[in-house]
């Protein structure tokens, strides 16, 4: 048997190789990626050949699931848990969840901080997001100025891109910072700033915004009572097959390197973020990285010491919250989380403890970095890897491990079946409610027509209700318990009503309207029964009544052979005799003549003649305008003035209207014309001297 073991961190590589020598010494280990199929792949997620796991599930084991981003991505985790809580709420309303599981679901509900998911590629997209996905957040920032929120990239790790803000202006500045880093990425590609935690929005466009938990439990990691720091628990969780979840009790407590203070715009993130990668390599790991057992006896900000009972309560709450979160991923996020029976995986789950000892779920981390644990607490990582062999590899190989050296808490034992041919995965049916005792004879089901009318409206009471009769219409989720409608069957031993127990929409408290009740027989249920009985009696009386004519019998079918049919047809053709002619008045004996008269009141029947098509009227022609041409001629009157300056010197040289001398208006120079004009007289008898109308 061969095992492929390869991790980027030498810390993890050496730990896994040690576990193979401890539990499976006969297995040969190779660090080079094999070209042929191997039986065990215990390697980083990107180096695993998942085709081998899917094709040969009986002879191949892998250290990771192929589809598990419903847990490892922050935005998918929030959406998965939110969908699971909505689904489980309906089961709670119909009493389909056990009391113990109901308490665990309530723990998960309280463990999830209020969260928003957004998709922002550039800072310009923030305007639309604030009016849509972040509308509630925007209102909260405007109404409550003292509320703080934390921004996290959905796919980033090592505290990259995590920011605190309390206003819209601060949020815009954060994304503008990310945009500027995106623009300078090409220019400073070869230079890396170890202290910078900015991210590029163009590459990491999915973000989550969580309500900042303002009441964390503060502990003095130095063992004194002076400086109190924020911390979170790093719980390593082992998922095996499909699916069992184990939580080793070897847990880390990671502290912030600076004393905790309330959030401030100018304050460093080192007092609020407990990620060990953010604290830097100069952090004192002996002081700020501890095991859970080392917290016993430490003082809190309230002056109290951590007790073993308090730690046990954290472990119990953590195991229940983690188990419900993984179950929610299986049931509500089955597209993005699909456990397979021949694989296992280790997750690093971050939990925050509050002043009231409540456990808050922050995130799931795939392929956790064991190197941040340090050499002092290397035994914690050894226990986690040993648990992966004792509860994972050896169980999948079918080998019985006698010595279980690692203490674990079982968080979930769930059977997940993969879908066949594209069918959606289905979760097993919930446990059936305990069967109730059979109802007494007085409460047995009666015919529908004999049942008591239903309530007229929601919440109505019937003062005359008989306690021995079936109760009024109960909420749909309680019908099976209050009304014995169903028969006893192997799958329904209590005779409970089947049907809408797990309806997607709650029917609790719904009652029938007046229209619905009328459809069931009106206010008096006896009317429908009386009508049916009367109709039945009428039918029986009609059948037994004397003189009822018998039903006519159907004529019998006659069959002929082909030869008989042809012979009969030929005989008919031969009978061609002429028919007998009827004689005059034959068959008219006893028939007297009848005179037909028209009724005077009979309506006259008039058939209108067929209408002749009308000829189209000729269009009237418009009278045209008549134009008369007039050639008016006027005779020139004789001048009544004397010529001026006549003294025998010739004609006048004035400027008269008709004068010949000078430049008159119509005259021209020339002697003959002037003489003619001067001596012209009008002849009244001459018609040509007057104008005509011709």
């Amino acid at each position: 048997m061969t095992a492929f073991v390869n991790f980027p961190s030498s810390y993890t590589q050496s730990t896994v190789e040690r576990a193979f020598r401890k539990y499976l010494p006969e297995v040969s280990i190779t660090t080079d990626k094999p070209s042929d199929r191997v039986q065990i792949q215990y390697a980083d997620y990107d180096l695993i050949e998942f085709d081998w796991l899917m094709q040969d599930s009986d002879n191949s084991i892998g250290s990771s699931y192929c589809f598990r981003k419903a847990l490892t991505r922050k935005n998918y985790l929030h959406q998965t848990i939110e969908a699971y809580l909505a689904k489980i709420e309906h089961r709670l309303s119909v009493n389909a969840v056990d009391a113990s599981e109901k308490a665990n679901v309530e723990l998960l509900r309280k463990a999830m901080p209020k969260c928003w998911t957004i998709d922002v590629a550039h800072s310009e997209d923030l305007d639309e997001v604030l009016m849509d996905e972040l509308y509630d957040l925007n209102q909260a920032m405007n109404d409550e100025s003292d509320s703080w929120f934390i921004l996290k990239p959905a796919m980033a790790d090592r505290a990259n891109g995590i920011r605190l803000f309390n206003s819209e202006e601060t949020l815009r500045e954060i994304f503008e910072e990310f945009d500027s880093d995106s623009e300078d990425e090409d220019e400073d590609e070869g230079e890396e700033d170890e202290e910078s935690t900015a991210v590029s929005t163009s590459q990491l466009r999915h973000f989550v915004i969580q309500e900042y938990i303002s009441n964390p439990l503060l502990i003095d990691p130095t063992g004194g009572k002076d400086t109190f720091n924020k911390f979170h628990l790093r719980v390593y969780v082992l998922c095996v097959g499909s699916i069992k979840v184990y939580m080793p009790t070897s847990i880390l407590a990671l502290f912030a390197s600076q004393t905790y203070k309330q959030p401030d715009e100018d304050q460093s993130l080192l007092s609020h973020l407990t990620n060990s990668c953010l604290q830097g390599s100069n952090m004192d790991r002996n002081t700020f990285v501890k095991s859970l057992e080392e917290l016993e006896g430490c003082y809190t900000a309230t002056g109290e010491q951590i007790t073993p009972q308090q730690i046990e309560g954290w472990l119990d709450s953590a195991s229940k919250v983690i188990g419900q979160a993984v179950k929610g991923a299986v049931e509500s996020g089955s597209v993005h989380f699909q456990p397979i029976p021949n694989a296992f995986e280790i997750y690093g789950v971050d939990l925050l403890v509050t002043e009231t000892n409540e456990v808050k779920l922050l995130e799931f981390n795939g392929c956790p970095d064991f190197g941040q644990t340090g050499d002092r607490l290397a035994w914690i990582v050894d226990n986690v890897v040993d648990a992966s062999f004792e509860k994972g590899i050896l169980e999948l190989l079918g080998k019985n491990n006698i010595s279980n050296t690692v203490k674990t808490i079982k968080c979930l034992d769930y059977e997940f079946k993969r879908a066949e041919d594209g069918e959606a995965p289905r979760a097993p049916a919930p446990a059936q409610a305990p069967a109730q005792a059979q109802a007494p004879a007085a409460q047995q089901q009666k015919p529908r027509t004999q049942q008591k009318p239903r309530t007229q409206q929601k919440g109505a009471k019937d003062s005359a209700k008989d306690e021995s009769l079936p109760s009024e219409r109960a909420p749909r989720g309680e019908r099976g318990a209050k009304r014995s409608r169903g028969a006893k069957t192997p799958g329904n031993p209590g005779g409970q009503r089947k049907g809408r127990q797990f309806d997607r929409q709650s029917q609790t408290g719904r009652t029938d309207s007046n229209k619905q009740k009328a459809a069931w027989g009106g206010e008096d249920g006896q009317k429908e029964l009386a009508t049916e009985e009367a109709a039945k009696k009428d039918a029986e009386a009609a059948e037994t009544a004397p003189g009822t004519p018998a039903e006519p019998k159907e004529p019998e079918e006659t069959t002929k052979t082909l030869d008989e049919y042809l012979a009969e047809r030929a005989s008919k053709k031969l009978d061609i005799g002429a028919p007998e002619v009827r004689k005059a008045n034959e068959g008219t004996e006893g028939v007297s003549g009848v005179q037909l008269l028209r009724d005077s009141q009979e309506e006259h029947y008039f058939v209108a003649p067929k209408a002749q098509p009308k000829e189209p009227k000729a269009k009237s022609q418009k009278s045209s305008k008549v134009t008369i041409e007039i050639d008016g001629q006027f005779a020139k009157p004789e001048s009544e003035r004397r010529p001026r300056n006549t003294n025998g010197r010739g004609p006048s040289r004035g400027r008269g209207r008709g004068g010949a001398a000078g430049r008159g208006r119509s005259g021209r120079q020339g002697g003959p014309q002037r003489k003619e004009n001067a001596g012209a007289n009008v002849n009244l008898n001459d018609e040509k001297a007057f104008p005509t109308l011709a």
Side-chain angles (χ1 to χ4, degrees), residues 41 50 59 121 161 206 215 239 276 281 328 330 346 420 483 490-491 566 627 629 661 664 688 693:
Q41 299 183 78
F50 289 100
N59 301 315
H206 299 286
N215 61 335
C239 296
S276 57
S281 58
V330 173
I346 299 173
E420 299 293 341
R483 300 177 64 182
L566 296 177
T627 304
E629 297 182 358
K688 295 181 180 180
L693 298 178

Side-chain angles (χ1 to χ4, degrees), residues 5 12-22 29 31 385:
V5 180
T12 307
Q13 180 74 20
S14 61
T15 304
V16 175
E17 291 180 358
R18 178 201 56 79
F20 267 102
R21 291 191 296 267
K22 177 180 178 180
I29 299 175
T31 57
V385 175

Side-chain angles (χ1 to χ4, degrees), residues 45 65-73 75-77 79-80 329-330 332-339 347 416 425:
Y45 177 86
Y65 298 123
C66 182
F67 301 99
R68 81 275 205 271
K69 63 183 179 181
L71 292 176
T72 58
R73 293 191 183 181
N75 57 333
Y76 280 100
L77 176 63
Q79 295 171 358
T80 300
V330 173
S332 301
S334 56
V335 175
H336 302 297
F337 184 73
Q338 299 182 14
Y347 297 97
F416 176 80

Side-chain angles (χ1 to χ4, degrees), residues 213 215-217 310 314 352-360:
I213 302 173
N215 61 335
L217 180 64
Q310 196 172 0
W314 298 348
L352 183 68
V353 182
T354 66
E355 292 178 346
T356 57
N357 292 316
E358 292 182 349
V359 175
K360 299 290 185 179

